[in-house]
């Protein structure tokens, strides 16, 4: 069954006051994310992957060098859907409850987490993603190149930030550190991360 582009979980202009413009979302969701869906559907049509779930396609294609194009598109479909849910209008600030406690236990403090996350997102050379993941019961910050994602490393992602240039160039030009800071201050959806932690526990 062919995959479809999921709607954004908010209106396309809902993040304007948080410095992610409707123009950015129209390209990032409406062109980039949409293209990954279209390409994936073309690549799997008529193959034995056509009736598999997105997660199954990701795991199978990651292990098969002849399927790198399928992996790249499948993983980018998954990553972007996860990314939209990592954002919310009026986001930012600090997590509460069990997630806040776990961040304090595993990183030392929320400030320490922010420092690690900003560093990972800023130092991912070229295109990629920064993540908060649960790895064998411990929260960790990671970064991945291109389409790669924590699922293929047996980690549970809680939150992600897209650091491909297409994610920030219209709003921040080359200033990736400002885009990262803005994500933490105004966009990050801690409710989503807390739900993912609760599901994994
Ligand atoms: Mn992107």
């Amino acid at each position: 069954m062919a995959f479809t582009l999921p709607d954004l979980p908010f209106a396309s202009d809902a993040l304007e006051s948080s410095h992610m413009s409707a123009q950015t979302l129209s390209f990032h969701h409406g062109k980039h994310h949409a293209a990954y869906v279209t390409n994936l559907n073309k690549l799997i049509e008529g193959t034995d992957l056509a009736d598999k779930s997105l997660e199954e396609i990701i795991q199978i294609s990651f292990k098969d060098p002849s399927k790198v194009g399928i992996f790249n598109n499948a993983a980018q479909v998954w990553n972007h859907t996860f990314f939209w849910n990592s954002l919310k209008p009026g986001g930012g600030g600090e997590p509460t409850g069990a997630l806040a406690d776990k961040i304090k236990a595993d990183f030392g403090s929320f400030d320490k987490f922010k420092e690690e996350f900003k560093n990972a997102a800023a130092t991912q050379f070229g295109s990629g993603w920064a993540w908060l993941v649960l790895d064998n019961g411990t929260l960790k910050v990671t970064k991945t190149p291109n389409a790669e994602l924590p699922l293929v490393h047996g980690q549970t992602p809680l939150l992600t930030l897209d650091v491909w240039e297409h994610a920030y160039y219209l709003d921040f030009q080359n200033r990736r550190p400002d885009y990262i800071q803005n994500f933490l201050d105004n966009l990050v959806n801690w409710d989503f991360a807390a739900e993912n932690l609760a599901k994994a526990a």
Side-chain angles (χ1 to χ4, degrees), residues 112-173:
K112 200 82 206 324
F113 155 77
K114 281 201 291 190
E115 206 177 295
E116 276 194 43
F117 190 86
K118 282 194 276 190
N119 186 54
T123 60
Q124 171 53 43
F125 185 77
S127 298
W129 301 81
W131 306 86
L132 173 63
V133 304
L134 191 64
D135 185 9
N136 279 320
T138 303
L139 292 181
K140 287 181 186 164
V141 164
T142 66
K143 56 184 178 180
T144 57
N146 301 314
E148 203 175 297
L149 71 175
L151 298 182
V152 298
H153 300 298
Q155 300 163 328
T156 304
L158 304 191
L159 198 71
T160 195
L161 177 63
D162 188 341
V163 296
W164 285 56
E165 276 189 353
H166 67 223
Y168 57 87
Y169 218 83
L170 293 173
D171 295 326
F172 292 91
Q173 293 76 49

Side-chain angles (χ1 to χ4, degrees), residues 64-91:
D64 184 345
S66 75
K67 293 185 168 62
V68 65
I70 293 174
F71 172 77
N72 285 337
N73 284 283
Q76 285 292 76
V77 170
W78 196 97
N79 290 343
H80 283 87
T81 302
F82 196 79
F83 176 51
W84 308 133
N85 284 290
S86 297
L87 310 173
K88 73 168 188 180

Side-chain angles (χ1 to χ4, degrees), residues 15-21 24 83 86-93 114 117-118 121 161 167-168 171-172 175-190:
L15 306 181
E16 287 270 0
S17 60
S18 302
H19 314 291
M20 186 175 282
S21 63
T24 284
F83 176 51
S86 297
L87 310 173
K88 73 168 188 180
K114 281 201 291 190
F117 190 86
K118 282 194 276 190
L161 177 63
Y168 57 87
D171 295 326
F172 292 91
R175 293 176 284 116
R176 191 195 285 190
D178 292 352
Y179 162 76
I180 299 164
Q181 187 67 50
N182 183 60
F183 169 75
L184 291 169
D185 291 345
N186 301 308
L187 287 167
V188 58
N189 184 354
W190 285 118

